[in-house]
Amino acid sequence: MACYIVSYDLRNDRDYKALYEALEEYGTWARITESTWAVVTDESAEEIRDYLLEVMDADDRLLVVKSGVSAAWSNVRASSKWLRKHL
């Protein structure tokens, strides 16, 4: 399994509830900042993108990046323990 960073901007019709529910369906997830999450899955970045786009509008922005080998953070919403384990 890999950890992916998901960042989004909901623009006009901001249906956060549907997006949050879709992200939480991954089971192993953390909300890092207001609009950045991490999810752990066997899916590819493209599969995650396509799945999340189902609950997003055409003008919303979305970025899915496979987590790398180095990370640093400050004042994030997720626990440092979770981030150290999964990133």
Side-chain angles (χ1 to χ4, degrees), residues 1-44:
M1 287 223 229
C3 183
Y4 291 86
I5 305 301
V6 177
S7 181
Y8 57 86
D9 289 324
L10 301 187
R11 308 220 31 230
N12 292 315
D13 182 26
R14 297 180 175 151
D15 187 358
Y16 290 101
K17 184 175 188 257
L19 180 58
Y20 295 169
E21 288 173 354
L23 288 161
E24 290 170 356
E25 285 182 18
Y26 283 99
T28 302
W29 58 268
R31 188 169 179 189
I32 299 172
T33 66
E34 293 301 317
S35 60
T36 305
W37 293 52
V39 297
V40 177
T41 182
D42 286 324
E43 293 182 5
S44 68

Side-chain angles (χ1 to χ4, degrees), residues 25-86:
E25 285 182 18
Y26 283 99
T28 302
W29 58 268
R31 188 169 179 189
I32 299 172
T33 66
E34 293 301 317
S35 60
T36 305
W37 293 52
V39 297
V40 177
T41 182
D42 286 324
E43 293 182 5
S44 68
E46 292 82 4
E47 290 171 315
I48 297 167
R49 176 202 59 204
D50 293 346
Y51 177 68
L52 295 176
L53 285 175
E54 292 177 15
V55 297
M56 298 175 75
D57 294 326
D59 63 342
D60 293 338
R61 296 181 178 112
L62 177 64
L63 173 71
V64 180
V65 179
K66 188 173 184 179
S67 180
V69 296
S70 179
W73 54 86
S74 176
N75 295 324
V76 294
R77 294 177 57 128
S79 77
S80 289
K81 181 178 178 181
W82 192 99
L83 293 173
R84 278 193 296 278
K85 179 178 179 181
H86 295 288

